[in-house]
């Protein structure tokens, strides 16, 4: 990287590819910026369409966040609506709901990190251990189906299976534990049910990205390892896991930015009068305020708060990854 | 101020686009009233084509072209919001009730105030002034309301169970209790097992005063419908002794097992199932559900399907007085944009079109279709013409969509559809009869026309406090003191402000 | 595993693991597939049967009314064609834009790369929202065109980062060799990098295709001409829970929800075509071996 002689470039890039952070570069060999940019003119050309896209469709609309500081009304528009400064943020932080919603959101986020995030990795690793290609493909093609069913359908199925006294799963659990389970109403069961739904719906779909990463592993490596006497566990630890390690890290960092996004529709459909105290999260709150009550500005303010938390988390996770000598996002 | 600010807003968007060097912004098109543009919710499964037979017939009748934007009903509000924010508002927009986005926009001048105009158009003159008032925002009408049945409440009961036990249809809430208990304890299906109960109540997604079985029973017990008047002051209906008495009554039924124990969580999409499968025998809901359930039985037992479903109207309370729970009588309105219809002359032209669309011929066209093509008239009923080519099928489908365009605020002048078979006809006749007589005892919500500022921004949340507390009380999670405490919380978190504002508006209304 | 074992002789522990693993994954596959089979069964059952049986995998009497209805409509076939068209064109554009942008971003030595990356990451959490995006689409003259369904979603920043990460994993030697042979960066990207990227291209094609296929928000907001509606508008219209509409106060009193069987049938006809996409792509995942041989 220091200069662009082929050898150093290759070595530098290889170092990066092997998940090692760059060594401090000897400054004296650095070519002038203009020269380096000209040398990679084609790379900039490749960047252009993407940059234009982000400018038009992502950055141009961003003036929309200003409505968090207004009393926005669609008809009056962005310039016609009155400015109110931080009013909506004050309302949010002083609201009696705020800490309850924050707590509910964080608890769900935590459960997502513990259960939902690792699930596709585990399943991908297990799938990778299946030798019979037809079976493997058949299982793969089955487990990703739930991704296509809407939350409305998932909720209807959950209500069917977990209904009080008559749901098949409720009956099974009642007879196993000799208790009367009220899964749908009991606030203690709300989070387990949500996590179960998410696991069911997203795990199979989540494996795809890891399976794609695993497709890049050279089968000869396993052969060599077996000859060296490595058992299945050792092969997984030393060949398979390293192959998807950087994907795991990237997925973890990406997830951290959306930690407070717990989904709206799923939770909304599972909420009732008896479990609302644990069910209300930012996404349902924003929906309720923004759509049902037309509080565009307030709900944007809540969204902005979430985004700030997200950006802190994502950069924090990236920093952490690099501290542990992993490839970060940049 | 509005046109200017709007141009500025558009300018900001243009600048944003221009900043990345793409396109210039066009000028506003001049209003062209040869074509009337309308935004309409789509309820049917398919959207009508722009050149559909029905649309051409309507256009011919009103002498204008129509430019219809169909928007799926379930996501109508999202689309309405972006449409309000954009520069291309249609001339006429269906608004689905007094949603905050509409109320605030209307008060900011987005829509014409039609309060003093409607009486100039014979077909837009309301048949029922109460509904006209109900559909207003504090007395100002920003749209032409779309008329709906004023009474729909019904008690639907398993006829065969009543027959087995030798019972009659209920007339009072005490009767309801007795029947529910007999359905639970006296083996109405002769199975020999204890496998039945009385009333089926599902999870209710709405808040307080949203026509839930609880709201209906409260009205029967004498509680106000939403808001009540006491000594010239408006009070919320849940802060009355009758509200508590009604819920004590429901709670007793729940505690005694006369109501399904999963009333708080049962999927409301499966409401008919326990009734149809012979587990629960009573449903308190709108009367049209009786027809839906009868269809299920018809599917299963085509010969005797008329023997399962009985229906009656509202019930008298413990004091023997009959009070009926009405609907609000309309479903949203057609509002006219001041941005796309700029002058009084243009407004007159649009209102004339709406007037033409509410004539009897137009009502028939919009609600029944084309006579001789997809329906015939028989005894004052519309009889669908079965079969026919695919064009007729399209026409049949389009009618369900075009019905959303009609207002009928001058009264329903189209044909009712002839019930299919004998039992259906019997049910239909009974339903009309019951609703008509119940209308005389309807308990109206005096606060229906009132929209308080605090209620617009906090109302849905506040109502949820009450709806949740009611369920929690019924489920035994909180006791009567707990219920009272939640009502106090309603006042503390903004309810008192709502009460004050409502009373102020109420005083101004008269 | 103390002694050396060769591939020919799996240990007992290994066999037990294989058996347990297969049992577990097959069970998982069954649990995930059963509900979909229920949806298919429901689409072929009468209303009375759906109402009377809690959960079933095959109807007592097969009723095809729902499918007859769906296939008799112009709407279904037209929106299916539109959806396939938009999904195909959209996926090609999205994959192309994502990969061309990700490649330079994978080059750590490229000046300015970090700034662009950070700007991209920023958009993953901050967005202007529905209304300003609508106004942009409108100002670009895309309303009521199929481009409105594709261009606003042209690059998903998440996928961009994943592809960028994949490119970083590629061995630099081959690219360097090609450069020595006189290839420009563009040539390296086109002739060396893309052919090595088949598994990730297949993955991204799947992700993008599914996202466009399932998108109902864009057609809802941007397409007024109903003849240009996609399948999801049809699906959403038929299956959205009436509960939700009810809470919003949008339920027309005269509205009778579509029959359950029809809802199920609509889900089936809208899901099966895209479901078939994955097995078709699956074979490309095996192509990664080429890459492996380079690494080894």
């Amino acid at each position: 990287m220091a200069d662009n002689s082929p050898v150093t470039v290759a070595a530098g890039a290889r170092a990066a590819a092997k998940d090692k952070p760059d060594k401090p570069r000897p400054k004296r060999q650095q070519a002038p910026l203009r020269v380096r940019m000209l040398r990679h003119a084609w790379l900039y050309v490749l960047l252009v369409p993407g940059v234009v896209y982000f400018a038009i469709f992502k950055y141009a609309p961003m003036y929309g966040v200003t409505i968090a500081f207004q009393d926005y009304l669609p008809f009056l528009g962005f310039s016609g609506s009155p400015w109110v400064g931080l009013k909506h943020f004050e309302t949010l932080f002083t609201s009696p709901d705020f800490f309850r919603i924050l707590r509910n959101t964080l608890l769900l986020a935590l459960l997502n990190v513990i259960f939902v995030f690792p699930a596709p990795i585990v399943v991908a690793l297990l799938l990778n251990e299946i030798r019979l290609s037809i079976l493997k493909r058949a299982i793969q093609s089955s487990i990703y189906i739930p991704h296509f069913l809407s939350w409305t359908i998932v909720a209807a199925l959950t209500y069917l299976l977990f209904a009080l006294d008559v749901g098949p799963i409720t009956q099974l659990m009642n007879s196993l534990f000799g208790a009367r389970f009220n899964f749908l109403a009991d606030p203690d069961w709300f989070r387990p049910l949500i996590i179960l739904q998410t696991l069911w719906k997203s795990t199979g779909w989540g494996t795809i990205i890891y399976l794609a990463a695993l497709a890049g592993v050279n089968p000869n490596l396993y052969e060599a390892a077996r000859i060296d006497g490595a058992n299945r566990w050792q092969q997984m630890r030393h060949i398979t896991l390293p192959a998807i390690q950087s994907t795991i890290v990237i997925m973890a960092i990406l997830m951290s930015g959306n930690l407070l996004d717990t989904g709206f529709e799923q939770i909304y459909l599972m909420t009732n009068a008896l479990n609302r105290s644990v069910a209300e999260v930012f996404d349902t709150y924003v929906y309720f305020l923004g759509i049902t009550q037309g509080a565009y500005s307030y709900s944007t303010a809540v969204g902005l708060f979430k985004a700030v938390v997200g950006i802190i988390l994502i950069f924090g996770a990236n920093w952490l990854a690099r501290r542990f000598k992993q490839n970060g996002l940049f | 101020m509005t046109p200017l600010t709007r141009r500025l807003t558009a300018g900001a968007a243009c600048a944003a686009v221009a900043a990345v060097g793409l396109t210039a912004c066009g000028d506003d098109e001049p209003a062209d009233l040869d074509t009337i543009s309308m935004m309409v919710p789509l309820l049917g499964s398919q959207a009508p084509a722009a050149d559909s037979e029905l649309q051409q017939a309507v256009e011919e009748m009103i002498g204008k072209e129509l430019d219809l934007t169909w928007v799926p009903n379930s996501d109508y509000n999202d689309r309405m919001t972006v449409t309000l924010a954009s520069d291309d508002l249609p001339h006429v927009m269906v608004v689905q009730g007094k949603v905050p986005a509409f109320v605030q926009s209307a008060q900011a001048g987005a829509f014409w105030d039609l309060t003093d105009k409607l009486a100039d158009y014979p077909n837009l003159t309301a048949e029922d002034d109460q509904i006209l008032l109900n559909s207003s925002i504090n007395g100002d009408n920003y749209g032409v309301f779309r008329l709906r049945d004023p009474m729909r409440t019904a008690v639907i009961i398993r006829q065969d169970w009543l027959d087995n036990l030798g019972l009659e249809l209920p007339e009072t809430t005490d009767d309801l209790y007795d029947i529910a208990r007999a359905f639970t304890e006296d083996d109405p299906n002769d199975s020999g097992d204890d496998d039945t109960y009385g009333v089926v109540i599902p999870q209710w997604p709405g808040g307080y005063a949203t026509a839930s079985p609880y709201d209906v029973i409260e009205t029967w017990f004498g509680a106000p419908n939403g808001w009540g008047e006491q000594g010239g002051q408006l009070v919320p209906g849940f802060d009355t002794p009758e509200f508590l008495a009604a819920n004590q009554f429901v709670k007793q039924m729940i505690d005694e097992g006369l109501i399904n124990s999963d009333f708080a969580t049962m999927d409301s999409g499966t409401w008919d199932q326990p009734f149809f499968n012979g587990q629960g025998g009573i449903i308190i809901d709108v009367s049209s559900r009786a027809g839906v359930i009868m269809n299920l039985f018809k599917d299963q037992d085509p010969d005797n399907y008329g023997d399962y479903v009985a229906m009656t109207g509202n019930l008298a309370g413990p004091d023997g007085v009959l009070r009926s729970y009405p609907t609000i009588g309309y479903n949203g309105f057609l509002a006219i944009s001041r941005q796309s219809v700029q002058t009084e002359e243009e407004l007159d032209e649009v209102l004339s079109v709406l007037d033409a669309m509410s004539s009897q011929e137009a009502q028939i066209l919009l609600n029944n279709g084309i006579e001789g093509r997809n329906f015939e008239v028989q005894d004052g009923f519309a009889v669908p013409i079965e079969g026919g080519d695919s064009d007729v099928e399209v026409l049949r489908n389009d009618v369900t969509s075009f019905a959303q365009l009609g207002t009928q605020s001058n009264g329903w002048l189209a044909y009712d559809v002839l019930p299919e078979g004998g039992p259906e006809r019997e049910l239909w006749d009974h339903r009309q009869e019951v609703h008509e007589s119940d209308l005389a005892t309807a308990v109206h919500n005096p606060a229906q026309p009132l929209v308080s500022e605090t209620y617009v921004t906090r109302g849905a949340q506040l109502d949820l406090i009450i709806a949740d507390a009611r369920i929690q009380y019924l489920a035994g999670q909180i006791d009567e003191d707990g219920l009272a405490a939640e009502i106090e919380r309603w006042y503390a978190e903004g309810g008192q402000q709502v009460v004050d504002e409502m009373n102020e508006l109420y005083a101004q209304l008269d | 595993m103390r002694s050396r074992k060769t591939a020919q002789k799996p240990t007992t522990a290994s066999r037990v693991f294989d058996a347990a693993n297969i049992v577990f994954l097959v069970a998982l596959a069954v649990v995930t597939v059963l509900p979909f089979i229920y949806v298919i069964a429901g689409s072929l059952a009468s209303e009375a049967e759906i109402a009377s049986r809690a959960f079933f995998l095959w109807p007592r009497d097969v009723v095809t009314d729902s499918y007859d209805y769906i296939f008799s409509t112009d709407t279904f076939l037209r929106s299916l064609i539109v959806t396939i068209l938009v999904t195909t064109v959209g996926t090609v554009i999205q994959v192309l834009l994502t990969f061309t942008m990700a490649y330079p971003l994978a080059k750590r030595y490229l000046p300015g790369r970090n700034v662009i990356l950070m700007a991209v990451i920023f958009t993953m959490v901050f967005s202007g929202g529905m209304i300003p995006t609508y106004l942009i689409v409108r100002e670009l003259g895309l309303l009521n065109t199929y481009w409105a369904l594709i261009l606003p979603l042209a690059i998903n920043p998440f996928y961009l980062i994943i592809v960028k990460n994949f490119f970083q994993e590629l061995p630099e030697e081959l690219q360097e060799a090609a450069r020595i042979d006189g290839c420009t960066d563009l040539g390296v990207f086109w002739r060396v990098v893309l052919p090595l990227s088949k598994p990730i291209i297949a993955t991204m094609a799947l992700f993008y295709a599914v996202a466009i296929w399932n998108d109902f928000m864009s057609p809802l907001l941007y397409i007024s001409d109903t003849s240009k509606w996609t399948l999801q508008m049809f699906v959403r219209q038929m299956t959205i829970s009436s509960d939700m509409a009810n809470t919003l106060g949008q339920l027309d009193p005269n509205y009778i929800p579509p029959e359950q069987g029809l809802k199920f049938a609509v889900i089936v006809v809208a899901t099966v075509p895209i479901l078939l996409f994955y097995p078709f792509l699956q074979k490309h995942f095996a192509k990664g071996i080429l890459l492996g041989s380079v690494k080894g």
Side-chain angles (χ1 to χ4, degrees), chain B residues 330-347:
Chain B
Y330 72 96
N331 177 33
F333 16 73
L334 267 55
I336 301 169
S337 159
R338 288 184 61 168
Q339 182 211 329
S340 38
V341 179
Q342 295 188 342
T343 63
E344 296 267 346
E345 291 73 43
E346 287 173 1
L347 176 65

Side-chain angles (χ1 to χ4, degrees), chain C residues 5 14 16 52 61 77 84 89 93 141 194 245 253 255 276 286 293 296:
Chain C
K5 298 282 174 195
S14 182
V16 169
S52 60
D61 300 302
L77 196 65
I84 290 174
V89 175
I93 291 175
L194 281 188
Y255 172 69
L276 299 176
S293 67

Side-chain angles (χ1 to χ4, degrees), chain A residues 55-56 72-76 78-79 97 159 164-165 180 184-185 271-274 276 285 288-289 291-293 296, chain B residues 2 5-6 9 20 22 78 81 84-85 100-101 104 108 110 203 261 264-265 456-458 460-461 464 468 471-472:
Chain A
I56 297 178
Y72 176 77
L73 201 57
F75 170 68
L76 295 179
F78 293 94
S79 49
D97 306 324
Y159 273 97
L164 181 66
D165 297 331
R180 187 163 181 253
L184 299 172
T271 304
N272 57 55
L274 301 181
R276 195 179 318 273
Y285 187 64
F288 205 75
L289 292 164
I291 304 295
T292 314
Q293 299 191 165
Y296 307 103
Chain B
T2 2
T5 45
R6 296 199 57 72
T9 315
V20 289
L22 259 141
D78 279 339
T81 304
L84 280 173
Q104 291 168 340
Q203 175 180 342
S261 51
T265 58
V456 167
T457 54
R458 306 256 309 134
Q461 248 179 319
L464 216 49
D468 280 1
I471 299 291
Q472 287 162 7

Side-chain angles (χ1 to χ4, degrees), chain C residues 79-260:
Chain C
S79 61
L80 180 69
I81 293 169
V82 166
T83 310
I84 290 174
L85 176 91
V86 170
T87 304
T88 312
V89 175
T91 305
V92 169
I93 291 175
Q94 290 173 322
V95 167
L96 206 69
L97 282 177
T98 304
F99 278 69
T100 51
M101 190 180 189
Y103 183 65
L105 291 180
K107 303 295 170 201
R108 283 167 179 275
Y109 49 77
L110 192 71
R113 160 211 190 247
N114 270 8
V115 177
I116 296 175
L117 259 179
M118 262 190 244
V120 166
I121 290 160
F122 193 72
T123 66
M124 293 196 291
V125 283
F126 283 95
S127 84
M130 188 171 76
I131 294 169
T133 310
Y134 174 87
L135 293 177
I136 295 283
V137 170
R138 184 174 145 263
E139 293 305 329
L140 291 173
L142 299 180
L143 282 189
N144 247 331
T145 68
Y146 295 133
W147 295 113
L149 307 182
I150 296 170
L151 294 182
L153 304 171
I155 301 179
N156 179 323
F158 288 84
Y159 301 161
L160 180 74
I161 298 285
I162 289 168
V163 175
K164 184 221 76 160
N165 187 55
F166 173 86
F167 283 147
Q168 276 175 341
E169 300 275 296
L170 283 180
E172 190 73 17
E173 293 93 332
L174 272 183
Q175 301 174 46
E176 201 42 52
R179 245 175 244 128
I180 292 169
D181 288 346
C183 270
T184 58
D185 279 320
L186 187 67
V188 174
F189 174 63
W190 193 255
R191 290 200 208 114
V192 182
V193 173
L194 281 188
L196 285 176
S197 310
K198 279 192 179 153
I200 197 77
I201 292 177
T203 310
M204 288 303 138
L206 175 70
F207 284 3
Y208 275 124
V210 167
I212 298 196
W213 189 277
N214 285 341
D215 182 24
F216 72 88
M217 213 57 197
S218 305
L220 173 76
L221 296 181
Y222 305 138
I223 306 290
S224 298
D225 182 351
T226 52
S227 66
K228 290 179 180 163
W229 275 3
T230 60
L231 257 184
Q232 287 306 321
M233 294 291 275
F234 190 43
V235 176
R236 177 91 177 165
Q237 179 77 0
M238 301 291 274
T239 59
I240 183 69
S241 89
S242 48
D243 295 3
M244 206 179 279
N246 197 5
T247 340
L248 299 176
Q250 291 182 345
L251 207 56
D252 191 279
N254 296 345
Y255 172 69
I256 294 171
E259 297 194 325
Q260 289 290 332

Side-chain angles (χ1 to χ4, degrees), chain B residues 160-387:
Chain B
D160 51 331
W161 289 11
L162 286 176
D163 294 344
N164 278 350
L165 299 174
L167 295 168
E168 295 293 318
L169 280 171
E171 285 176 4
T172 66
T173 50
D174 290 341
D175 296 346
L176 179 74
Y177 175 83
D178 291 338
I179 294 171
R181 197 173 58 186
F183 278 5
T184 310
E185 293 167 3
D186 299 346
D187 195 17
N189 58 357
D190 292 328
S191 68
D193 291 323
D194 178 17
D195 56 359
T196 54
Y197 59 86
V199 188
V200 190
I201 301 182
Q203 175 180 342
W204 198 261
Y208 171 70
T210 55
S212 70
Y214 314 111
D215 296 314
V216 171
I217 294 174
E218 285 157 14
T219 299
W220 292 346
F221 268 70
N225 171 4
W227 291 81
E229 200 190 292
Q230 282 178 6
Q233 291 285 304
L234 287 178
V235 289
F238 48 81
D239 198 6
T240 58
E242 291 86 0
F243 171 86
L244 184 61
N247 282 296
Q248 283 169 335
F249 171 75
V250 178
K251 182 163 168 54
Q252 188 190 352
M253 293 218 282
I254 289 169
D255 291 346
E256 293 174 3
L258 314 187
I259 293 176
N260 52 313
S261 51
D262 61 347
F263 68 95
T265 58
M266 181 184 152
D267 184 353
S268 57
T270 63
W271 198 351
D272 301 337
Q273 292 185 7
F275 188 97
F276 174 64
N277 295 328
Q279 289 147 351
I282 305 168
I283 285 177
I284 300 167
D285 192 32
V286 295
S287 54
S288 55
R289 186 173 290 279
V292 173
I293 294 175
M294 189 178 267
N295 263 334
L296 281 177
F297 281 110
K298 194 176 188 177
D299 217 2
Q300 189 186 53
D301 185 359
D303 299 326
N304 306 307
Y305 66 95
D307 301 345
Y308 297 99
V309 189
M311 196 207 89
T312 187
N314 288 276
L315 306 180
D319 56 358
V321 178
L322 177 62
R323 301 175 194 86
S324 302
Y325 189 90
T327 72
I328 55 174
Y330 72 96
N331 177 33
F333 16 73
L334 267 55
I336 301 169
S337 159
R338 288 184 61 168
Q339 182 211 329
S340 38
V341 179
Q342 295 188 342
T343 63
E344 296 267 346
E345 291 73 43
E346 287 173 1
L347 176 65
D348 175 61
E349 210 170 333
V350 173
L351 282 172
S352 302
V353 169
L354 296 186
D355 185 65
M357 280 171 66
S358 215
S359 68
Q360 181 168 24
E361 295 158 286
Q363 283 195 27
I364 291 169
L365 207 50
L366 293 174
N367 293 289
N368 300 119
I370 300 172
E371 192 174 342
R373 283 283 286 153
N374 70 312
F375 80 97
E376 283 165 345
V377 181
Q378 185 186 316
D379 309 334
F381 281 102
V383 184
I385 297 174
E386 291 302 328

